[in-house]
């Protein structure tokens, strides 16, 4: 097979301008990562370390196999939300190897409001459970939580996807045979008590670990009883008297070692090894910074991105001369076979039909799909409406929604309008979804939105016999553009869990490889001939 051919001029002024722009975007993300890794701050951690507690990322590192990569999920959840009070959402989640077995780890950060659950914390916890459930990953909970964040209880407690959904999911996952282990490393109060109480096996640390539905202050207020946390729900109580926990240990290091021992007793999952020998791209991934335009209105060739991510820079492209604004083809990433669906311009009827055909093929053959998004949306205008762009786009959207093979999505540039849906955006439940630092997600671009909204305002004023001045129009255009730029940024999106994290473009290949090792498992998704493909009714 011949590799793709790159035509990038790394000495061109535009390339250098692009590179400088995207390196600055990358640095902003790295600065944000560094900030949230501090958790609730140095002073809080000094107090917790004095009690023998580890920071959550050290807990995870100690639990994982030596040298195991950790696919962290949404580390910037809650960024600049709640007045900065919930770095990383107060919760660290991700996939790694423990005793040679892939597991999902959910670790509270006790330095962030005592591990309390903000609305974004709940959303992040439930997202981790969803990934574990879909991919049948055992869950390990490093529990250290005061339960729901009471000042925001109306946004945390009562609704279907609020705090209670975590425990509902634990019950359903257990019934589905997915192992769940917990280590109680600190205070587990109220709702926080149910995580260990619903786990299969529970390890508790003497002195620090405690489990109770109502803490000593609440007990005293409700019953008049004066009791210490240790007397009410310490490790000795729950391992010797109540039976809520199973193993009592002296410190955190021992608790994490015990968890590793328990994982060795679980049935081994399928191999995460790729079926093919990985082959590095023949073009340097570092060049991705210079390929993607700084000005999103400029066109570029998505083949240049793909040949720096795919194994050996090889792509067996499907229908390369038809529907050219969508690239489809079979390839491999880190030794895992994949079907690639990548934007190379707005979606036309021809591109949508090609995409529909290709998605059906990949689904029937049991090959995971990887979507690379940089999309303004579907083509508009009389010609395209008369050709049936709406029904052809609906075919692709239906295929994306009903394909049973795992789907992974990477937003490399823009993700706008119905193009977001057709390219397996968040609403279409990809197994994983990531964004690049310079990406944008919104219903349309700021330029388009400002033009549309100002035109609507002009018509409203004209109907009332008034007129918008040139100055007012220009001011409103700038205000709308700024709001759209702010609300479509990668940081804004990842803070709200519209993705599973912002990744460095040069790490895309490695991240995809880790994720494919999670999703490309025999029991998750069909193999060829396992079941007939069903897509519902295509409007012809």
């Amino acid at each position: 097979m011949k590799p793709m051919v790159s035509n990038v001029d790394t000495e061109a002024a535009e390339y250098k301008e692009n590179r400088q722009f995207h390196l600055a975007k990358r640095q902003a993300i790295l600065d944000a990562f560094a900030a949230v890794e501090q958790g609730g701050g140095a002073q809080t951690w000094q107090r917790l370390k004095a009690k023998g507690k580890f920071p959550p990322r050290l807990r995870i590192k100690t639990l994982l196999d030596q040298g195991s990569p950790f696919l962290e999920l949404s580390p910037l959840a809650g960024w600049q939300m709640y007045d900065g009070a919930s770095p990383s959402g107060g919760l660290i989640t991700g996939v790694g190897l423990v005793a040679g077995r892939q597991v999902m780890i959910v670790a509270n950060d006790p330095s962030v409001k005592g591990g309390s659950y903000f609305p974004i914390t709940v959303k992040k916890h439930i997202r981790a459970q969803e990934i574990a459930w879909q991919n049948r990953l055992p869950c390990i909970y490093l529990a250290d939580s005061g339960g729901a964040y009471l000042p925001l209880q109306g946004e945390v407690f009562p609704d279907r996807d609020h705090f209670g959904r975590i425990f509902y999911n634990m019950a359903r996952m257990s019934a589905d045979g997915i192992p769940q282990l917990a280590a109680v490393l600190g205070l587990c109060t109220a709702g926080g008590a149910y995580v260990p109480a619903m786990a299969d096996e529970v390890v508790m640390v003497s002195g620090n670990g405690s489990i109770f539905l109502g803490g000593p202050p609440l007990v005293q207020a409700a019953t008049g009883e004066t009791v210490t946390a240790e007397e009410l729900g310490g490790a000795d109580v729950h391992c010797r008297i109540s039976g809520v926990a199973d193993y009592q240990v002296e410190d955190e290091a021992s608790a994490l070692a015990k968890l590793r021992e328990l994982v060795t007793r679980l049935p081994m999952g399928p191999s995460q090894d790729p079926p093919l020998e990985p082959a590095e791209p023949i073009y340097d991934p570092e060049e991705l910074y210079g390929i993607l335009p700084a000005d999103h209105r400029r066109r570029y060739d998505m083949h240049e991105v793909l040949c720096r991510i795919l194994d050996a820079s090889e792509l067996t492209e499907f229908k390369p001369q038809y529907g050219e604004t969508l690239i489809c083809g079979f390839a491999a990433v880190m030794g895992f076979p994949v079907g690639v669906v990548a934007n190379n311009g707005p979606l036309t009827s021809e591109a949508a039909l090609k995409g529909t055909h290709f998605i059906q093929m990949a689904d029937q053959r049991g090959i995971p799909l990887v979507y690379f998004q940089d999309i303004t949306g579907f083509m508009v205008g009389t010609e395209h409406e008369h050709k049936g762009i709406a029904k052809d786009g609906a075919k692709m959207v239906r295929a994306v929604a009903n394909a049973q093979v795992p789907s992974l999505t990477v937003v490399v540039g823009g993700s706008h309008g119905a193009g977001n849906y057709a390219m397996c955006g968040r609403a279409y439940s990809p197994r994983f979804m990531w964004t690049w630092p310079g990406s944008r997600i919104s219903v349309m671009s700021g330029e388009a939105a400002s033009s549309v909204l100002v035109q609507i305002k002009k018509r409203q004023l004209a109907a009332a016999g008034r007129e918008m001045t040139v100055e007012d129009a220009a001011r409103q255009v700038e205000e709308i553009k700024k709001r759209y730029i702010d609300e479509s940024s990668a940081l804004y999106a990842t803070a709200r869990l519209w993705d599973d994290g912002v990744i460095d473009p040069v790490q895309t290949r490695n991240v995809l490889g880790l994720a494919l090792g999670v999703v490309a498992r025999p029991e998750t998704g069909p193999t060829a001939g396992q079941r007939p493909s069903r897509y519902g009714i295509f409007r012809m």
Side-chain angles (χ1 to χ4, degrees), residues 191-488:
Y194 282 103
V195 168
M198 297 191 70
D200 301 352
E201 296 179 273
V202 179
V203 182
M204 282 191 76
V205 176
S206 295
N208 282 341
S210 56
I211 302 172
F212 30 66
L213 299 184
L218 182 60
V219 169
Q220 185 171 27
T223 69
E225 180 185 4
T226 300
V227 65
T228 67
E230 189 68 21
E231 292 168 338
L232 184 63
D236 181 65
V237 168
H238 288 310
C239 291
R240 186 175 60 87
I241 302 173
S242 75
V244 171
D246 310 298
Y247 309 99
Q248 183 174 354
V249 297
E250 294 304 312
D251 53 35
E252 289 205 3
S254 301
L256 298 170
K258 189 66 178 180
L259 285 174
R260 289 181 53 80
E261 178 188 335
L262 297 179
V263 173
T264 66
R265 306 305 181 193
L266 298 177
M268 283 303 295
S271 170
Q272 299 91 42
D273 296 332
L276 307 174
E277 187 67 30
E280 292 294 319
I282 64 174
Y283 300 105
D284 187 356
E286 282 278 340
E287 293 170 353
L288 290 168
Y289 299 123
I291 290 168
L292 210 64
D295 183 347
H296 63 270
R297 292 169 297 186
R298 292 181 188 167
R299 294 291 301 274
Y300 68 100
D301 188 353
M302 182 63 83
H303 292 90
E304 299 287 2
V305 171
L306 298 177
C307 70
R308 288 161 175 82
I309 295 175
L310 303 179
D311 281 13
S313 302
E314 293 176 347
L315 175 70
T316 300
E317 191 167 351
F318 177 67
K319 288 183 180 291
Q321 296 160 293
Y322 180 80
E324 295 178 74
T325 60
L326 188 70
I327 299 168
C328 300
F330 294 106
V333 176
M334 299 296 285
F336 291 97
V338 297
V340 172
V341 183
N343 298 122
N344 211 23
L347 285 166
T348 61
S349 283
E350 293 83 1
L353 291 171
K354 178 169 80 171
T356 302
H357 184 167
F358 181 76
I359 291 164
Q360 287 180 300
M361 282 199 304
D363 188 29
Q364 189 167 15
R365 297 174 186 180
I367 298 174
L369 288 158
V370 182
Y371 295 82
F372 292 90
Q373 285 196 15
D374 191 349
I375 178 70
T376 55
F378 285 89
M379 287 292 288
V380 298
T382 304
E383 176 189 351
H384 297 282
E385 296 294 353
H386 288 191
K387 286 176 68 175
I389 185 70
K391 65 184 176 72
D392 292 335
K395 292 185 184 74
M396 184 173 174
V397 166
R398 191 181 296 276
V400 172
N402 286 298
Q404 295 300 301
V405 289
S407 296
L408 311 177
T409 301
V410 183
V411 182
V412 306
S415 177
H416 301 301
N420 170 282
Y421 306 151
M423 292 297 294
C424 203
R426 195 59 144 180
Y428 282 72
S429 296
R431 295 285 182 94
F432 291 96
M433 178 173 172
W434 300 280
T435 57
W436 281 6
S439 65
R440 301 163 308 283
I441 299 176
S442 60
V443 69
M444 61 181 69
S445 69
E447 292 84 359
S450 59
S451 176
V452 169
L453 292 173
V454 169
Q455 288 300 321
I456 291 172
K457 187 64 176 178
K458 284 181 176 178
R459 287 198 293 270
Q460 289 173 340
L461 289 172
R466 297 161 58 196
E467 193 173 297
M468 179 180 284
T469 66
V470 173
E471 292 78 10
D472 281 347
R475 177 178 54 78
Q476 289 197 25
V477 164
E478 289 308 311
E479 287 176 355
I480 294 166
K481 282 170 64 174
K482 182 182 184 306
R483 180 159 60 86
Y484 266 71
I485 289 169
D486 291 344
E487 294 181 2
S488 66

Side-chain angles (χ1 to χ4, degrees), residues 35-111:
V36 300
E37 284 181 353
Q38 304 305 311
Q43 189 173 7
T44 303
W45 267 116
Q46 285 177 0
R47 178 171 52 81
L48 293 172
K49 284 177 182 177
K51 296 181 177 180
K53 291 193 174 190
F54 296 171
R57 287 184 174 84
L58 179 57
R59 288 170 171 171
I60 292 169
K61 183 179 179 181
T62 305
L63 177 64
L64 292 174
D65 293 351
Q66 189 170 6
S68 167
F70 180 57
L71 183 58
E72 185 171 349
L73 303 169
S74 305
L76 296 178
W79 177 255
Q80 294 185 337
M81 297 171 68
Y82 318 114
D83 295 323
S86 186
S88 291
L91 191 73
I92 314 303
T93 62
V95 180
L97 288 177
V98 175
R101 176 73 187 265
Q102 278 185 334
V103 300
M104 173 63 74
I105 299 173
V106 177
N108 299 113
D109 186 343
S111 73

